[in-house]
Amino acid sequence: MNVEQLDIRDHLAQFAPFDSLSDDLLDKVAASVEIRYFQAGTELLVKDQPIEALWYVRSGAVEMYLRNGRLFNRLGEGDIFGYSDLLRNRRVRYPVRAIEDTLIYFIPAEVFEEVCDQDDEFAEFVDTGGQRLKATVEQQRHDSDMMTTRVRKLLGRPAEMIEAGVTLQEAAQRMRDANTTCVLVIEPAEKASPYTFIDRDGHGRRLCGILTDRDFCTRVLAEGVTPQAPATDAMSRQLIVVQSDETVYEAMLSMLRNQVHHLPVLHRRQPIGVLHLSDIVRYETHSSLFLVNNIFLQNEVDQLAHLSEEVRTAFARMVADGANSEMVGRALATVGRSFAHRLIELAEARLGPPPVPYCFMVLGSMARDEPTITADQDNALVLDDRFDPEQHDAYFEALAKFVSDGLAACGYPYCKGDVMATNPRWRQPLQVWKRYFTEWMDAPNPERLLHSSIFFDLAAVHGEEPLVEALQDLIAERAPQRPFFLAAMARNALGRTPPLGFFRTFVMEQDGKHRKSINLKRRGTAPLADLVRVHALACGSKAQNTFARLDDIAKTRLLADGVNERLRYAFEFLSMVRIRHQAHDIEQGEEPDNNIEPENIDSRERHHLKDAFEVISHAQKFLGFRYPMPSKRSRG
């Protein structure tokens, strides 16, 4: 391979889908490349012309257009085009034009097809084409549906085994001495079966049953069986087993289906242990469910604060186990709300019963079930209309301070914008809250729009939930009838744009400690949640979660076919990149944040990021069209 081909090879290897090719295939591609230079303004491909090569942008930039002349995509260094035409009928579907001086690598169709045949990842990349993001998210979702932890990881000791001729009394003594709740019963193997194995002495043995503590209760004591009877009289003969490389999830399903608490674990038919339900419970001691239970067992703020590190452990483990963003968000929201709930209970125990009914509500990402490990606290108090500030506010002020200080101690920083129940403005009776919300929708201004973006994501945590539900009902009823408010919210949602430059390059932070990075919350998930909220308000949805709002929006005609699905995939992908980044920070002993550096992620993920950001960009452009600002005459 000459110097020029080595240069081509090195460049291809930096970008998807070539970065995953074997050395042999990459060499073959590089050796086949032809190079051409095009000046800016050159028509590279026109509709229906024959195409005999895959086009790869070495430098420069090009634009692709739809049949009606509208811009479809901009491509830059490392991008490819023409693959969908090669896979169809070798006729150009989308015209392409160079928008700056551009150098193109041509990969012959025959080589392209050979690589597709020999490399599944390459073929999948080009097969999905514009649906790359969808395919990636679907794969993540599939992976997250199955726990990846293997059963063998949970086994703490070898299986306790007894011979079939052992008496029940001897079996009970073995269980007592081994401090176990079951023994496996074995016998000499007369013929091969799924349960035959070779023991340490080289003898053939067969696993013929399992004897558990429950068997002693129901089949020995309850039936009056003599302790001198053989263990085989009381054992369970219908064995339910699990292989050592099966997942914990599969083992749990087997236990549920068969109503058993013990599963013998086999490795190539050799019994290596017994999985008990308690092993799974113990394994889950760092899970969100166990953590929530533990939160409500604590009686002091200091005790709750000690659990904050377990939140990070549970978060990192969920990510490692393949949980998707909905699972992670829901778990973290449940944990966060549980901290608040328990703190309120402790506050009431200290301050006495509340003088009037109330409801403590959370706002923003915690209400949407979408917080990450970096979430701060946004909360408020909705009080019964019998609330009298002079008589009652001292109690609720003390309660709010106790809860807010406690949340800060538990790892939820104070809100920098002071959106907390400690602020008397956000500690009001229901009638005042209704007035707030009505004013924000009827006469929006910049401050009121900001409040709407925060407070219109709301969820009850503790107290009289109908107080919060009344506000949700008010929003759902009034917002769709306020076109000026919707138009103002739509324009407000355009304040944070995705970080894509004109040539589909990333626009990164230019100063500060996060220089040359992208804030995935500020430039990705937040603007996407903002624009989905506008559509949800327009259709009267009461859902708080972004995915649930998209479900409600899908029932309407607000969005064109396919848009809802693209928004869903973009939100999931960006959320998972953000979550995985934070989990990696925790594993490295660093403080988690929202900033990623594109140069530190592989080219395939950079492609997906660009796809997701483009979805946001197109959706933001649609907002202004869908919610035009009414004329002054039509406003009132």
Side-chain angles (χ1 to χ4, degrees), residues 214-265:
R214 180 173 175 79
D215 293 329
F216 272 102
C217 178
T218 61
R219 296 177 180 175
V220 179
L221 292 176
E223 299 296 331
V225 176
T226 174
Q228 299 310 311
T232 51
D233 285 359
M235 72 180 185
S236 299
R237 295 180 180 273
Q238 292 185 334
L239 287 169
I240 308 298
V241 302
V242 63
Q243 298 299 320
S244 62
D245 62 348
E246 292 187 56
T247 66
V248 175
Y249 178 73
E250 290 167 327
M252 290 174 63
L253 285 181
S254 183
M255 286 183 175
L256 291 171
R257 280 196 302 264
N258 297 287
Q259 294 294 295
V260 296
H261 290 178
H262 301 80
L263 285 178
V265 180

Side-chain angles (χ1 to χ4, degrees), residues 42-45 51 55 57 61-76 79-85 92-99 130 132 504 614 618:
T42 304
E43 299 293 333
L44 305 183
L45 293 172
I51 182 169
W55 295 52
V57 182
V62 303
E63 286 184 340
M64 301 179 69
Y65 298 91
L66 297 175
R67 296 179 182 182
N68 60 10
R70 287 176 52 199
L71 177 65
F72 172 66
N73 204 357
R74 288 194 182 96
L75 305 176
D79 286 325
I80 57 176
F81 59 96
Y83 50 86
S84 60
D85 302 323
V92 172
R93 185 178 183 187
Y94 298 132
V96 181
R97 180 172 63 89
I99 54 175
R132 286 192 304 240
R504 219 169 169 255
E614 284 201 336
H618 292 317

Side-chain angles (χ1 to χ4, degrees), residues 265-399:
V265 180
L266 308 183
H267 176 62
R268 297 177 181 172
R269 298 190 293 184
Q270 174 83 37
I272 62 172
V274 177
L275 184 69
H276 189 274
L277 182 61
S278 62
D279 296 319
I280 296 178
V281 172
R282 190 158 46 248
Y283 173 73
E284 291 295 323
T285 55
H286 292 298
S287 74
S288 58
L289 290 176
F290 182 88
L291 182 55
V292 167
N293 180 66
N294 210 9
I295 287 171
F296 285 99
L297 296 177
Q298 310 308 310
N299 295 314
E300 300 291 340
V301 174
D302 289 347
Q303 295 173 344
L304 287 170
H306 283 309
L307 296 179
S308 60
E309 192 59 34
E310 292 189 27
V311 180
R312 293 192 172 197
T313 302
F315 166 74
R317 180 162 146 208
M318 285 190 73
V319 176
D321 283 350
N324 63 32
S325 72
E326 287 185 84
M327 295 165 64
V328 173
R330 192 178 301 115
L332 290 182
T334 299
V335 169
R337 295 185 200 182
S338 297
F339 273 117
H341 192 155
R342 184 56 180 154
L343 286 165
I344 295 168
E345 292 177 341
L346 296 178
E348 288 187 355
R350 174 179 297 189
L351 300 172
V356 295
Y358 74 98
C359 189
F360 186 95
M361 65 179 179
V362 289
L363 311 163
S365 64
M366 193 69 74
R368 296 195 307 270
D369 284 347
E370 295 164 12
T372 65
I373 203 66
T374 61
D376 60 3
Q377 52 175 295
D378 296 296
N379 52 65
L381 280 172
V382 185
L383 309 169
D384 186 274
D385 284 337
R386 289 169 288 180
F387 171 74
D388 182 339
E390 293 186 5
Q391 296 184 55
H392 307 144
D393 194 49
Y395 176 94
F396 290 110
E397 180 181 12
L399 182 142

Side-chain angles (χ1 to χ4, degrees), residues 494-551:
L494 304 181
R496 295 182 284 196
T497 57
L500 282 181
F502 185 74
F503 297 126
R504 219 169 169 255
T505 55
F506 292 118
V507 177
M508 296 178 282
E509 306 291 336
Q510 296 301 316
D511 49 38
K513 69 176 182 177
H514 295 304
R515 185 171 176 268
K516 292 187 177 180
S517 69
I518 296 172
N519 188 302
L520 281 179
K521 176 184 177 182
R522 185 167 60 244
R523 306 297 295 277
T525 57
L528 211 163
D530 286 345
L531 67 90
V532 170
R533 183 190 301 110
V534 176
H535 293 310
L537 290 170
C539 71
S541 170
K542 295 182 184 179
Q544 306 301 312
N545 176 262
T546 297
F547 291 111
R549 285 172 168 169
L550 284 169
D551 288 339

